[in-house]
Amino acid sequence: MAAVVFGMIAAYAITAAFTRVVRLDWAEVTYAAAAVVLPVLLYLLFPGAAGTVLAAAVAGLCVGVLIRERRSGGQTAAAAAAGVLAGGGVFLWLLTYSL
């Protein structure tokens, strides 16, 4: 759980730092981070085929919501990059040390 919290803190810090340059929507950052975090957690919680199917479904759902809510291509891409790299990246990095 700490990996999730620190991942989201990192995503928020990146969002706050880059808001002066490009306006990042926090919801888009969160959806992009959730597209990494939730499937990994489901895959670890339900090993085997069930976890793989659930992980793929949730990842698709998060990406679908991100595409549906898209306002501007560049801003959405920047928000998705911040979410995936900061939120999901820090989560995966910390998760490797806890397993």
Side-chain angles (χ1 to χ4, degrees), residues 34-89:
V36 175
V37 172
L38 292 178
V40 170
L41 290 177
L42 285 171
Y43 182 76
L44 292 174
L45 186 61
F46 301 106
T52 304
V53 170
L54 282 172
V58 169
L61 179 69
C62 291
V63 170
V65 169
L66 184 64
I67 290 170
R68 185 179 57 91
E69 294 292 324
R70 161 178 110 214
R71 291 179 186 82
S72 169
Q75 289 178 345
T76 299
V84 168
L85 294 175

Side-chain angles (χ1 to χ4, degrees), residues 1-10 86-99:
M1 186 56 116
V4 174
V5 172
F6 282 114
M8 293 314 293
I9 289 171
V90 169
F91 164 74
L92 291 174
W93 179 59
L94 292 174
L95 189 65
T96 59
Y97 289 108
S98 67
L99 293 178

